[in-house]
Structure formats: structure tokens, C-alpha cells
Amino acid sequence: MPNGRNGGERPAAEDVVQRFGTEGADPLLLGGVNDVNLVEFGRVLGVRVNLRGDTLTIAGQPEQVDRAATVATGLIDLARMGETVTPEVVQRLAIDGALPAELAPSTEGRIVLPGLRRAIVPKTQGQRDYLAAIAQFDIVVGIGPAGTGKTYLAVAKAIEALARKRVRRIILARPAVEAGESLGFLPGDLQAKVDPYLRPLYDALEDMMPNDRVQKAIETRTIEIAPLAYMRGRTLSDAFIILDEAQNATGAQMKMFLTRLGVNSKVVVTGDKTQIDLPKREDSGLIQVERILPGIEGLAFCYLSEADVVRHRLVREIIRAYAEDQNG
């Protein structure tokens, strides 16, 4: 059985033991509440693990300890940077065979936002490529399944651009598509009806900025969150503009949105082609731009896959199962 912080079985004679210094790493971040991370570490890698003071000790068969050593180094590095370590992170590093290079957010793709005590970092190569494209191109179309960080990372880059005064405002838009229920039957005025569609954008903002700063930015229109239809007739200059859930924008809406681009602005379009809620799949503006726009200079397409899912490990398994069923 894997052990937590407070002791455990003595290693067998043929076992090997490795010790790792954890100075500078928050022991609660590293071990987790009730040592859940250490328990998962031992379970997945087949080793005994113990965290006492500034030392993480791993014991087990030589090949298991060798494999566990790489994962332990990565987890300690994450904890030292103040990153949240969870059992899912342990699983990802152990099962996917992530290397320390993938665990080095202190260099490639690291986003440090004012007032946020932790850095926002890409967890996969796909996410790093996505952030690099956003930095390089004026229009980026990010396509991939749920949980790959498409919207979250785009919002982080938008806040970074605003904080560094590269843009004067952030505009976040989503199509208000009726997915199984009619807007007309929802209670409240128009704003109350569309707010549920925009809630994920508020959530992303509030995870990266203090709530009072978010509210002040919205009141001063430094940050605008609105249904896609509200973009018509505008020219958006000096802005970082994100269109989320773009698979539910029609072809006409997508053309309207992309042609709003003004001077010194950047556009990120995110979408998941497996979650189109329009009556006809071929009406999706995301499908159309994927066919029409490749090859235009200054515009990039980034494709994220189930390998880039950073939510609970079951999300990846569910996405994989649905893909296999659809292809079967």
C-alpha cells in the first residue's frame, strides 16, 4: 500500500530508495489534503512514498523507482512554483510519460498576471503551440475538445495584453444558441436570458482577476462580455477579442465577426467541432472558416486533441469513447 507523510512499511531488502529535497515547495501543495497526491503517486507508480520535512522518499523496485523519480522531480518543481498539484496531475505525469521539459512553465509559455499568486502555464505541447500562435498571429483559430484550455488560455493572454498596455480593452463574445431549450422560455429580461451562455467567460476572468477588478473593468467597458450578435456594425481597434464556442456561430456571423478586426487588435476564435448545436452542421461558421481561410498570411489554425485535456482524467476517456463510437 502507498504511504503518506507519516511513515509506512519498511522497504524490502531488494528494493531501492531515493530521496529528493523539497526545499521551497509548499508541502500541502505537493502532498495534497490528507496526502491524496502521495497516495495516488504510490498507486499509479507502484512505489512507497513518504514526505517528511524537506525530504520526499521513494522506495520500490529499481525500474519503478527510476520511473517515479522523473515524476517526483516534476511534481516538486510545480509545487515550488506555487502550482496546484492534484491526483489528476500525478496521473498525467505518470501515465502519459511527461518529461521535465514539459514541466518547465518557468520558461516557455509562462503567463504571470498582476495580483495572481500563481503563474498560468501550458501543460502540454499542444497548449504551448497554441500560446505561441496567439503571440505571433493576429487571428488564431483554436479547435479542440472540451477541457483543452482553449478559452482559458486565450483569456489569460488577453488579460496579459491588457496589463502590459498592448491593448486598451478586452472583448469576449459567444453565440447565444438555443441548445435544447428556448431563450423565450427562460425567465428575465434579455440580459438575464443571455447571461447563462456567457457565464464560462465570467468564470475564466474571475479565476485570474480579483472580483472587484473584474466588476470595475466591466463597468468601465475595459472588458466587455456580450453575445456575438452585439458585434455587428462595430470596428474593434486596440482590442483583444475572443469568440468562444465558435462552432455555434453561423457562416454569416463568423464573417461578420472576423471583419470587425481593427488596427492593433488580435482575435482568437475557439470551438469544438463535436459540439455543434446548430440545426445543420454545415451551417457552422467554424467548419466554413476551416475550409475557406487556411493559407491567409497572419492567420493560424491550432488543433488541440484529447492529449491536451487538462481536466479530470475521465474527461479524456469520455472524449476518446465518444470519438471511437462516432468513427465506428
Side-chain angles (χ1 to χ4, degrees):
M1 292 289 292
N3 299 295
R5 201 183 308 272
N6 297 314
E9 302 171 4
R10 297 176 63 85
E14 66 273 14
D15 285 353
V16 298
V17 176
Q18 280 200 39
R19 294 178 176 84
F20 302 83
T22 63
E23 298 87 352
D26 184 330
L28 183 59
L29 283 179
L30 182 58
V33 178
N34 296 325
D35 293 329
V36 291
N37 297 334
L38 303 182
V39 171
E40 187 66 10
F41 189 108
R43 185 190 72 80
V44 174
L45 292 156
V47 294
R48 293 181 296 279
V49 57
N50 186 285
L51 178 60
R52 279 185 178 163
D54 289 334
T55 303
L56 180 72
T57 303
I58 298 172
Q61 294 296 304
E63 64 276 10
Q64 294 171 317
V65 172
D66 285 346
R67 181 178 169 219
T70 297
V71 178
T73 301
L75 294 175
I76 292 168
D77 286 346
L78 287 175
R80 280 176 174 154
M81 293 187 313
E83 291 295 310
T84 301
V85 179
T86 65
E88 286 73 30
V89 171
V90 175
Q91 292 165 1
R92 180 171 189 85
L93 300 183
I95 296 173
D96 292 353
L99 299 175
E102 188 170 319
L103 296 172
S106 58
T107 54
E108 189 178 2
R110 180 183 175 97
I111 303 172
V112 179
L113 301 177
L116 196 64
R117 291 190 296 175
R118 59 181 176 84
I120 294 174
V121 297
K123 299 293 194 297
T124 68
Q125 185 59 51
Q127 289 188 345
R128 285 197 295 275
D129 292 343
Y130 178 53
L131 288 180
I134 292 175
Q136 180 179 354
F137 296 95
D138 289 337
I139 299 178
V140 173
V141 181
I143 299 174
T148 51
K150 304 182 301 295
T151 303
Y152 192 84
L153 293 175
V155 171
K157 291 297 287 184
I159 295 174
E160 180 187 47
L162 184 66
R164 297 188 179 186
K165 302 188 184 303
R166 294 173 182 164
V167 298
R168 291 190 295 107
R169 55 181 172 162
I170 296 172
I171 298 172
L172 310 175
R174 262 191 165 203
V177 172
E178 302 174 8
E181 59 181 331
S182 173
L183 283 174
F185 288 99
L186 294 176
D189 58 16
L190 177 61
Q191 190 62 44
K193 291 176 188 291
V194 300
D195 268 354
Y197 293 96
L198 306 175
R199 187 68 251 174
L201 298 174
Y202 285 101
D203 290 343
L205 280 173
E206 290 168 1
D207 195 45
M208 300 178 208
M209 296 173 64
N211 187 60
D212 58 338
R213 283 185 55 206
V214 172
Q215 294 306 317
K216 182 177 180 181
I218 291 174
E219 289 171 5
T220 60
R221 299 185 69 82
T222 303
I223 297 177
E224 181 179 349
I225 306 175
L228 174 59
Y230 287 19
M231 300 298 106
R232 187 175 301 278
R234 304 175 62 183
T235 299
L236 306 176
S237 301
D238 292 311
F240 197 116
I241 312 150
I242 299 172
L243 173 59
D244 192 34
E245 297 289 338
Q247 74 276 2
N248 289 326
T250 66
Q253 287 176 325
M254 182 67 78
K255 179 182 177 182
M256 176 273 293
F257 174 78
L258 292 176
T259 54
R260 301 306 92 199
L261 184 65
V263 177
N264 190 42
S265 287
K266 187 179 291 285
V267 165
V268 178
V269 175
T270 70
D272 179 357
K273 292 188 294 182
T274 69
Q275 296 192 33
I276 296 174
D277 296 318
L278 297 172
K280 295 182 180 179
R281 176 181 172 83
E282 58 271 21
D283 289 341
S284 170
L286 186 64
I287 300 292
Q288 292 183 12
V289 297
E290 190 181 23
R291 183 182 72 249
I292 296 170
L293 300 185
I296 294 181
E297 186 177 354
L299 185 151
F301 284 83
C302 287
Y303 291 90
L304 298 161
S305 70
E306 64 186 39
D308 300 301
V309 173
V310 293
R311 291 181 186 167
H312 193 286
R313 65 174 181 83
L314 287 176
V315 175
R316 278 187 290 160
E317 298 299 325
I318 291 168
I319 290 170
R320 184 180 297 119
Y322 271 95
E324 291 174 354
D325 180 72
Q326 189 174 27
N327 296 332

